[in-house]
Every structure is written in C-alpha cells, then in structure tokens.
Amino acid sequence: MRKEDSDNYLKIQVEQEDEEICVVIEDNGHGMTEAELKKKNHELAENKKSEGKHSIGIANVNRRIKMVYGNQYGLRLEHAGERGLRVILRYKPEKDVTGNEETGNKETENETQKG
C-alpha cells in the first residue's frame, strides 16, 4: 500500500468454482514488474524457497497449502489493473464422512467451536 495516498484499497473475494475455493486478494499498491511476477510465480509453482528475504510469508503459505491439499493448489500472483497486485489462493476443501466441507485443520475448528 502507498501510505502517502488516500485512494488505497484492499479487496478480498471468496468464490467457489466447481468443487474448488478461490480466495482473491487485490490491492492498488506499487505491484511488481512482469519479471518479478514471472520469477515469483515460478518459485510458487515449483514450491521453491525464495531467493533472498522477500516474500517468506507467501512461500510458507503456499508450501502449506500444497502439503495439505496437493501440488495442484496454492498461490499465484497477477497484476491488478494499472498498478497493484492480485494474490489468488486456490484449494479444494476436503469432505468429512457427513459430506460437510472441512478446512483441513480439525484442531482450529474444535477450538473455534468451544469458544
């Protein structure tokens, strides 16, 4: 985000596409160059660690999504309009024996239900 501007926005959408969930997070910040996007998306697709100290959180989230839901899921980055960045998180929720969708983290679900 650009601290000096007053037109900052952050948009979060959750969509269901067939049996998959797609979470789209978009802003109108500085964004990334085409080369940076290509490099980062390659790292995310190949589940590689980032070179340097940038985007450690994105790489960790992507790695965990792939471990829980499979290598076909994870994060992808895109340009958002003239400037800004769009982060797309895609996964397929698991089904429990009753047919209800699960998030993949029973411990968190149970703690939420207790509280």
Side-chain angles (χ1 to χ4, degrees), residues 18-78:
D18 297 320
E19 294 183 359
E20 296 180 357
I21 301 294
C22 185
V23 179
V24 180
I25 303 154
E26 181 177 315
D27 71 15
N28 64 339
H30 294 291
M32 299 172 83
T33 67
E34 191 63 40
E36 291 170 329
L37 273 177
K38 186 176 180 177
K39 179 180 176 184
K40 177 53 68 180
N41 279 325
H42 176 74
E43 290 171 355
L44 293 172
E46 298 296 319
N47 210 13
K48 293 182 178 179
K49 291 187 178 184
S50 299
E51 296 174 12
K53 296 183 178 180
H54 301 291
S55 304
I56 293 170
I58 290 174
N60 284 342
V61 169
N62 185 62
R63 195 169 8 270
R64 291 175 183 182
I65 291 168
K66 288 180 179 299
M67 282 190 318
V68 173
Y69 298 104
N71 283 328
Q72 68 270 37
Y73 300 109
L75 298 174
R76 187 178 80 244
L77 307 178
E78 296 179 349

Side-chain angles (χ1 to χ4, degrees), residues 59-114:
N60 284 342
V61 169
N62 185 62
R63 195 169 8 270
R64 291 175 183 182
I65 291 168
K66 288 180 179 299
M67 282 190 318
V68 173
Y69 298 104
N71 283 328
Q72 68 270 37
Y73 300 109
L75 298 174
R76 187 178 80 244
L77 307 178
E78 296 179 349
H79 288 289
E82 292 179 24
R83 59 183 183 184
L85 189 65
R86 181 178 302 120
V87 178
I88 302 166
L89 181 161
R90 185 176 303 277
Y91 71 100
K92 182 177 178 181
E94 299 170 349
K95 302 272 184 184
D96 66 15
V97 291
T98 64
N100 295 322
E101 289 182 354
E102 294 183 358
T103 62
N105 188 341
K106 288 267 192 208
E107 193 171 307
T108 302
E109 289 175 6
N110 291 336
E111 288 175 12
T112 304
Q113 291 172 1
K114 291 177 185 174

